[in-house]
Amino acid sequence: MVGAMQLGVIGMGRIGRSHAAVLDANPAVDRVLVASRSRASADKAAADLGLEAVDLESLVDSVDAVVIASSTDSHPELIERAIVAGKPTFCEKPIALDIEPTERIVALVDTEGGRLQIGFHRRFDPGYAAARQLVISGGLGTPYVVRTISHDPVPSPESFIPTSGGIFRDFLIHDFDIVDHVLGEPITAVFATAAVREHRVYAKYDDYDVAAVQARTASGALVTMSCTRHDPRGHDVRMELFGSRDSVVVGWDDRTPMRSLEPDGRRLPADPYEDFLDRFRAG
């Protein structure tokens, strides 16, 4: 195929494997190379997916563009390597665990004239896109209150927790991003709290299994966020928007893992969303 691309995926965990499989199925992609900090992990993923594994050090120079899906602590180094090499780069959120390396990478991308996209998938979900258009068109009216819900179905494996960045930087970062994106204005004031309610392994790494946020945007809209690492009914990610002209919800459909306690209320769906890959597949 004329102009076909060769792409590299770094990190062969669940999301890295998913990216590699999706890219390999794209007719515009000629070849997908995979790499990982562990060559054994890359070799295993390559064998499972029918792809080619290479050493991490050689991947960037061997492809036209790079996808980074490795652990968060490795993001700054890998982004820098790809941008300096002149490769368009997609990286899973966040850019880094702290402000200083984040600002350094942003400055590097500007200096190099690089192309970097961070993986905030909710922006591309049809429901969130419709909510953004409702706000832009004025259909919502003056935004009064926004409520986001982010509940994972099962706790993280312990190996993931130390390098994840914690519940705010790893999970609630999606909520902060989507509120800014949908409303078109930044959050300017925040009160946040978190706790370990059930899964003590998070406390071992100064992390939490539940969190709640109260916030206010630049124009004064009020925001509430709830986040849990465990939802016994499934993966539940929603946004509710209340304004002067409309009240709407994103993420409420036949598979939303909630049941009503009202006598004639909604029963639990037979096939609730299993995880984020299942929930956002359509986007």
Side-chain angles (χ1 to χ4, degrees):
M1 178 183 298
V2 177
M5 295 180 290
Q6 299 189 69
L7 303 181
V9 181
I10 302 174
M12 284 294 103
R14 178 174 55 166
I15 188 62
R17 282 174 168 243
S18 176
H19 284 314
V22 169
L23 292 171
D24 185 50
N26 189 318
V29 177
D30 183 54
R31 185 170 68 148
V32 176
L33 303 181
V34 300
S36 177
R37 282 177 169 177
S38 164
R39 182 57 192 260
S41 174
D43 287 340
K44 176 66 165 60
D48 292 343
L49 298 171
L51 302 176
E52 180 181 348
V54 297
D55 291 335
L56 180 58
E57 292 70 23
S58 65
L59 180 135
V60 171
D61 293 331
S62 304
V63 297
D64 300 310
V66 177
V67 173
I68 299 171
S70 53
S71 59
T72 300
D73 60 339
S74 69
H75 288 182
E77 174 191 352
L78 294 173
I79 293 173
E80 181 174 1
R81 186 182 302 180
I83 294 299
V84 169
K87 304 302 171 72
T89 303
F90 173 93
C91 183
E92 285 296 335
K93 53 73 196 164
I95 292 175
L97 291 171
D98 296 300
I99 293 296
E100 187 279 328
T102 300
E103 292 177 337
R104 178 174 57 80
I105 290 297
V106 171
L108 175 69
V109 172
D110 288 341
T111 300
E112 296 287 332
R115 287 176 287 176
L116 172 66
Q117 180 180 358
I118 302 302
F120 289 113
H121 57 273
R122 295 185 194 180
R123 294 184 177 210
F124 303 95
D125 176 73
Y128 286 106
R132 175 175 163 82
Q133 287 304 311
L134 186 68
V135 172
I136 291 172
S137 69
L140 186 70
T142 301
Y144 291 156
V145 175
V146 174
R147 185 163 77 103
T148 69
I149 296 93
S150 293
H151 298 171
D152 255 350
V154 294
S156 315
E158 183 172 358
S159 60
F160 171 80
I161 301 173
T163 60
S164 72
I167 196 167
F168 291 101
R169 284 175 289 192
D170 172 59
F171 202 171
L172 275 162
I173 189 172
H174 285 294
D175 298 74
F176 282 98
D177 175 74
I178 202 62
V179 168
D180 185 312
H181 182 68
V182 168
L183 294 185
E185 58 175 329
I187 288 173
T188 57
V190 176
F191 170 80
T193 187
V196 176
R197 296 292 296 157
E198 179 73 18
H199 305 283
R200 303 305 306 175
V201 66
Y202 286 96
K204 181 178 175 181
Y205 301 98
D206 295 322
D207 198 0
Y208 311 95
D209 61 1
V210 298
V213 174
Q214 294 287 335
R216 186 173 65 249
T217 69
S219 71
L222 302 183
V223 180
T224 298
M225 304 176 186
S226 72
C227 182
T228 70
R229 288 293 193 181
H230 175 226
D231 184 330
R233 296 300 188 183
H235 185 73
D236 189 4
V237 172
R238 286 176 280 132
M239 172 183 264
E240 299 172 358
L241 299 99
F242 305 93
S244 61
R245 294 184 179 177
D246 207 350
S247 295
V248 298
V249 60
V250 176
W252 182 263
D253 60 25
D254 291 341
R255 298 185 64 196
T256 303
M258 288 285 286
R259 63 187 181 93
S260 172
L261 295 180
E262 301 301 325
D264 298 321
R266 178 179 185 273
R267 295 184 178 182
L268 188 72
D271 59 340
Y273 289 110
E274 295 180 3
D275 55 25
F276 70 94
L277 294 172
D278 187 22
R279 163 69 175 82
F280 291 101
R281 198 179 310 277

